[in-house]
């Protein structure tokens, strides 16, 4: 059954989770794609879980990252296919990264939400103080292993998928160069500029990718629902566009997905800027209805959620809801509210 069965309607499993039912008591959520067999690729040729290939011709170092969250297996299916097919760069260097392989090792299609991470979110650790501090965890060990590789990357694409219903989109963080890269890729056609999360920096917020005056850059694609074939296709088309755009791949390389037209978006890709990040302050945070990411609320001041007794209202007209999380823990992002910028 699809995750969304109609406007504002969730599948039974997600509806139960959104209503606060314990994950082990909720109806199962169907995994509609096969988990990748990564056993031949876990050793890597550069680092564990990392395959890196250099071309004779000079060019940028491009990294495509999957499994930043261990249960987001769609991106791993893309990289698995590329590795089995023998994809190699035409110029520069191409690195294919299976990030949180420990969490992926726990993935169980019968309980697919349980393996996002082992101890903490790998995508909230990318500030220097955390990376160089004394704290320890499974994910911090992995981040410290991967950091030297990412220090050499010119362009990075982080492949993600979504539990809660949402239109696909890019998250481009704070820099103009990341926004322009996402707009140039053009698939998906929605690009959101944001300031990240209160609870920690993402990989795309890592210092080399955002330093003022720098040239290195990173973007994150949220390609669609977890565990759906359409999400795998969107990821592969997006990543193939990036490799062609940077010149790392031969435009005619038969391994890559055939060039795909971007979804019909009037006037081309759209850029939106987050105007407010709503962080849940209480365990009683709840939306008034199951909003879908990508919905636009026409009127300023519309009540969309309650955080205990605090009302959450749209701060302006034509307010874009970015990735609403229909069950959120205190201290975590519940939704980003954004405004479309002029084309």
């Amino acid at each position: 059954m699809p995750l969304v069965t109609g406007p504002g309607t969730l599948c039974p499993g997600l509806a139960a989770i959104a209503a606060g039912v314990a994950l082990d008591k909720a109806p199962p959520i169907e995994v509609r794609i096969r988990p990748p067999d990564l056993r031949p690729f876990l050793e890597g040729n550069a680092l564990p879980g990392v395959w890196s290939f250099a071309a004779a011709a000079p060019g940028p170092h491009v990294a495509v990252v999957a499994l930043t969250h261990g249960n987001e297996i769609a991106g791993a299916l893309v990289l698995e296919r590329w590795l089995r097919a023998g994809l190699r760069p035409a110029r520069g260097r191409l690195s294919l990264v299976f990030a949180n392989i420990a969490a992926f090792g726990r993935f169980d299609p019968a309980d697919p939400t349980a393996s996002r991470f082992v101890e903490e979110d790998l995508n909230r650790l990318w500030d220097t103080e955390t990376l160089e501090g004394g704290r320890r965890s499974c994910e911090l060990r992995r981040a410290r292993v991967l950091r030297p590789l990412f220090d050499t990357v010119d362009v990075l694409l982080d492949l993600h998928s979504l539990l809660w219903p949402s239109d696909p989109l890019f998250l481009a963080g704070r820099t103009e160069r990341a926004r322009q890269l996402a707009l140039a890729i053009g698939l998906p056609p929605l690009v959101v500029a944001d300031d990240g999360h209160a609870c920690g920096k993402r990989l795309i917020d890592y210092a080399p990718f955002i330093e003022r005056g720098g040239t290195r850059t990173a973007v994150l694609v949220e390609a669609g629902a977890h565990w759906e074939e359409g999400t795998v296709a969107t990821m592969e088309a997006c990543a193939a566009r990036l490799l062609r755009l940077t010149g790392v791949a031969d435009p005619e390389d038969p391994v890559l997905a055939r060039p795909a037209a971007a979804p019909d978006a009037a006037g081309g890709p759209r850029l939106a800027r987050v105007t407010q990040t709503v962080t849940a302050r209480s365990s009683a945070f709840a939306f008034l209805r199951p909003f879908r990411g990508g919905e636009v609320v026409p009127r300023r001041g519309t009540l969309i959620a309650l955080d205990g007794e605090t009302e959450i209202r749209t701060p302006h007209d034509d307010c874009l809801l970015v990735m609403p999380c229909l069950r959120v823990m205190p201290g975590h992002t519940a939704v980003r509210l954004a405004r479309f910028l002029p084309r």
Side-chain angles (χ1 to χ4, degrees), residues 87 90 240 243-244 249-259:
L87 179 66
L243 299 191
R244 291 185 174 107
D250 185 324
E252 303 303 322
D253 192 314
V255 174
L256 295 180
R258 293 173 60 86

Side-chain angles (χ1 to χ4, degrees), residues 27-177:
I29 299 172
E30 185 179 1
V31 174
R32 301 163 69 110
I33 55 179
R34 66 168 182 86
D37 179 6
L38 299 187
R39 288 173 296 178
F41 307 114
L42 293 179
E43 185 174 347
N45 71 346
L47 293 167
V50 177
W51 293 82
S52 193
F53 307 101
H61 182 184
V62 174
V64 182
V65 181
L67 294 179
T68 296
H69 296 130
N71 65 334
E72 297 182 16
I73 64 174
L77 282 168
V78 174
L79 301 196
E80 178 201 29
R81 191 185 81 77
W82 283 358
L83 286 167
R84 290 186 187 279
L87 179 66
R88 297 293 185 270
R91 54 191 292 261
R93 177 174 288 275
L94 173 63
S95 293
L96 305 178
V97 180
F98 299 106
N100 198 338
I101 51 180
F104 170 72
R106 301 182 176 200
F107 181 76
D108 179 359
D111 189 10
T113 63
S115 55
R116 181 176 171 87
F117 51 80
V118 176
E119 294 182 85
E120 61 180 324
D121 193 331
L122 180 59
N123 211 30
R124 302 292 184 271
L125 304 178
W126 293 94
D127 62 277
T128 301
E129 181 178 353
T130 298
L131 290 167
E132 297 181 357
R135 187 158 60 84
R136 297 186 181 187
S137 71
C138 174
E139 277 74 21
L140 262 170
R141 286 192 296 273
R142 183 60 172 164
R144 289 163 180 157
V145 167
L146 294 175
R147 184 185 182 188
L149 173 83
F150 293 146
D151 282 340
T152 70
V153 168
D154 298 300
V155 180
L156 182 142
L157 174 63
D158 197 7
L159 302 175
H160 287 254
S161 55
L162 296 145
L163 178 63
W164 301 107
S166 177
D167 296 340
L169 74 155
F170 281 106
L171 294 176
R174 302 180 182 185
T175 69
E176 177 64 21
R177 59 186 184 268

